Amino acid sequence: MTILVTRPEPAAAELVARLRTHGRHAWSLPLIEFTPGRDLDALPHMLAALRPGDLIFLLSQQAIRYAQPALQRSGAAWPGDVDYYAIGRSTALALHTVNGLTVDYPQDQETSDALILINRLQNVAGKRALILRGNGGRELLAETLLERGVEVSFCECYQRCNKQYDGATEGRRWRDRGIATLVVTSGEMLQQLFSLFPAIDREEWLLHCRLLVVSERLATLAGELGWQDIQVADGADNDALLRALL
């Protein structure tokens, strides 16, 4: 079982290294990379505008990776009198590591669908929420908060950029290496992976690979694109992906 990991660096290289220590043949093909977001300079002012008991959401570890240096440069700090929520355990741990504060997160799946089910978020009318995220992405969290009477604002902490590859070259490379399992951690990357290769590679190889995804929503999308052998990991971090792959 030769595995291709498509998640961004440095997570892709880490997962490949761990798989190889377990005797698996694994390679990485990161489909996106990150750059600083447009709102980083405004982040200290956005945090200062929050009131006690307001809400801060972090939708990926990348948001912390870019937000923390921006706060340090401006001499600002994470407020201690607001409620913090993260998309999953790894993001919550990354935030707690830099600010030492309590961070709530969904216990079952690292998705917006699971996040909005947290009990403390059911009665939040009148509060303000600041969502730290990348460019674009799903609007489910913001739309749900608005429906619950929350005033929502966003801080674009980072931008996702598609990495450019020659699809025909990559198709030959990965078919020659016998890739039979694909790891994909977002809908955006799944669409990009599907579109990257020539049609003959999709029909003869790509859609016949086992596909490991991180949510039922992604599994549904993969089925619509034509994959049949689909597995859903119990989380989106490398620990969960490693458990599923082993």
Side-chain angles (χ1 to χ4, degrees):
M1 182 181 71
T2 305
I3 302 162
L4 186 64
V5 178
T6 67
R7 71 181 323 181
E9 298 294 9
E14 184 208 28
L15 181 55
V16 166
R18 293 174 68 181
L19 286 164
R20 288 177 176 175
T21 65
H22 286 277
R24 300 297 196 272
H25 297 287
W27 307 86
S28 65
L29 180 72
L31 292 175
I32 62 174
E33 57 189 351
F34 301 109
T35 58
R38 294 173 294 186
D39 299 333
L40 280 175
D41 289 343
L43 177 58
H45 304 288
M46 293 180 175
L47 293 177
L50 296 175
R51 302 164 300 201
D54 281 343
L55 317 171
I56 294 179
F57 294 86
L58 292 107
L59 299 190
S60 79
Q61 294 182 64
Q62 295 299 327
I64 304 158
R65 174 187 168 193
Y66 285 98
Q68 178 66 14
L71 294 181
Q72 290 175 330
R73 285 193 301 270
S74 67
W78 298 94
D81 56 0
V82 301
D83 294 332
Y84 289 90
Y85 297 88
I87 193 72
R89 178 181 177 275
S90 297
T91 304
L93 181 60
L95 181 59
H96 177 74
T97 299
V98 300
N99 69 12
L101 299 170
T102 299
V103 186
D104 205 350
Y105 61 94
Q107 302 293 321
D108 46 359
Q109 280 202 326
E110 299 187 18
T111 65
S112 299
D113 308 76
L115 181 58
I116 60 176
L117 296 178
I118 290 178
N119 285 336
R120 294 172 61 204
L121 291 176
Q122 304 311 304
N123 186 17
V124 286
K127 294 181 181 289
R128 295 176 181 172
L130 177 61
I131 299 176
L132 279 63
R133 65 177 190 176
N135 55 313
R138 297 180 73 198
E139 300 296 342
L140 176 66
L141 173 63
E143 291 171 355
T144 304
L145 291 172
L146 287 168
E147 290 171 0
R148 294 176 183 173
V150 177
E151 179 184 329
V152 178
S153 56
F154 301 95
C155 179
E156 182 192 284
C157 293
Y158 63 95
Q159 291 196 356
R160 291 181 296 270
C161 310
N162 290 351
K163 289 180 68 73
Q164 301 301 313
Y165 296 101
D166 180 86
T169 300
E170 296 302 325
R172 287 192 298 271
R173 183 202 313 273
W174 303 119
R175 292 180 71 167
D176 288 346
R177 288 181 176 170
I179 295 296
T181 296
L182 309 165
V183 179
V184 182
T185 55
S186 79
E188 179 184 10
M189 286 185 274
L190 185 64
Q191 293 278 7
Q192 189 182 350
L193 181 69
F194 179 84
S195 302
L196 173 60
F197 301 102
I200 190 168
D201 287 322
R202 285 201 299 269
E203 295 162 6
E204 293 182 355
W205 160 67
L206 188 72
L207 293 175
H208 297 282
C209 289
R210 171 193 178 204
L211 183 68
L212 179 64
V213 296
V214 297
S215 71
E216 294 295 341
R217 183 180 65 87
L218 276 188
T220 299
L221 176 58
E224 292 170 352
L225 289 172
W227 272 280
Q228 295 183 339
D229 187 357
I230 306 165
Q231 180 182 357
V232 181
D234 61 13
D237 59 18
N238 278 349
D239 290 340
L241 296 172
L242 190 66
R243 284 194 300 271
L245 290 165
L246 297 180

